[in-house]
Amino acid sequence: MQYFINTWRTPKNGNLWSVTDASEASVLNTDRGGNVTVTLAPSDPISQSLMVVSTVGGFQSLGEIENFHDAVLQDGSRYSALDRISSLCDHTNISISEILNFKDWPPSFAPKYVKRDLITPASGALPELLELLSEWREESTTNIHWVFSQTVRGLSLSEPLRVSHFAESLEELATFQTDDINNNTRLARFGELIVSPPIRSTSRITLFKPS
């Protein structure tokens, strides 16, 4: 099983790029792969503010995450740096997630955008939904990398299944939606396995650090 840590930040007005730069520096200061994204198209642009989401990944166990936490807490300079970023934000929070049905990243893949779908499975439908999505991923013809994840159930109330689609261009994301999603015969069964339509947002990747 692979795990990752997300830090979700809503910058105060006028601090978007300061928070983005500091988040990138924080990820680069680790010995782990990760990325930083800035909201490009939120699910509700009227009521939602821009977000900066940083990811630190490549953890093979929860024990490795615990060791990572220990290292941060024992290093006053790293802890203070995180605190300074939080002071520039209206909201900061952290989640620990596990990757489901992991698949290696394509070689030399350099994503610039990520589309995240939050999906609430129908009761008991998660295993079939994951199988359907995994088959869908294998047959996809577009240069898109799919990642399925969910917060670790034993640590917090499980959020909806998160399906992230990483792309090297906006055009590829649009083509992917038309060719691999809208016209796929699995779409009908997908609709039967979920409670409501996915909540979708798209972000620009400002930093991508391979593991």
Side-chain angles (χ1 to χ4, degrees):
M1 188 70 71
Q2 285 215 14
Y3 301 86
F4 61 89
I5 301 171
N6 270 348
T7 304
W8 310 80
R9 297 182 172 102
T10 305
K12 295 177 181 177
N13 289 339
N15 286 285
L16 176 63
W17 297 115
S18 295
V19 171
T20 301
D21 290 345
S23 297
E24 291 179 1
S26 180
V27 172
L28 290 171
N29 195 38
T30 73
D31 59 356
R32 300 278 177 174
N35 61 76
V36 175
T37 67
V38 177
T39 307
L40 174 71
S43 57
D44 183 1
I46 301 301
S47 59
Q48 293 181 335
S49 298
L50 293 173
M51 291 190 67
V52 177
V53 181
S54 60
T55 301
V56 177
F59 299 97
Q60 301 299 318
S61 68
L62 292 176
E64 288 189 6
I65 288 184
E66 182 176 346
N67 293 338
F68 179 81
H69 286 161
D70 289 344
V72 172
L73 292 172
Q74 292 167 10
D75 185 339
S77 62
R78 291 176 66 182
Y79 198 79
S80 296
L82 293 174
D83 204 30
R84 284 195 296 273
I85 305 174
S86 295
S87 71
L88 301 174
C89 301
D90 287 324
H91 176 84
T92 302
N93 220 325
I94 296 172
S95 62
I96 300 174
S97 299
E98 57 184 328
I99 297 178
L100 309 174
N101 294 6
F102 174 79
K103 183 175 182 178
D104 286 327
W105 288 83
S108 303
F109 190 65
K112 293 173 67 177
Y113 298 93
V114 57
K115 174 173 67 66
R116 297 183 177 99
D117 286 348
L118 296 182
I119 301 169
T120 303
S123 179
L126 180 60
E128 183 181 350
L129 179 61
L130 270 175
E131 181 179 1
L132 181 144
L133 289 170
S134 296
E135 293 173 352
W136 207 334
R137 174 175 65 182
E138 292 305 313
E139 294 180 8
S140 173
T141 59
T142 312
N143 186 32
I144 300 291
H145 184 67
W146 305 42
V147 177
F148 312 132
S149 63
Q150 195 172 43
T151 53
V152 178
R153 296 186 180 188
L155 303 182
S156 61
L157 290 176
S158 181
E159 66 174 11
L161 176 69
R162 186 189 305 122
V163 179
S164 302
H165 298 116
F166 290 82
E168 294 183 312
S169 72
L170 281 177
E171 188 65 34
E172 284 181 330
L173 274 181
T175 301
F176 168 70
Q177 184 67 36
T178 301
D179 294 353
D180 286 352
I181 302 298
N182 294 348
N183 298 325
N184 196 288
T185 57
R186 292 182 176 84
L187 197 58
R189 183 55 181 159
F190 173 78
E192 296 170 352
L193 295 174
I194 63 176
V195 172
S196 56
I199 299 173
R200 174 170 298 167
S201 64
T202 301
S203 297
R204 174 66 188 244
I205 299 171
T206 65
L207 171 73
F208 182 74
K209 179 187 177 188
S211 298

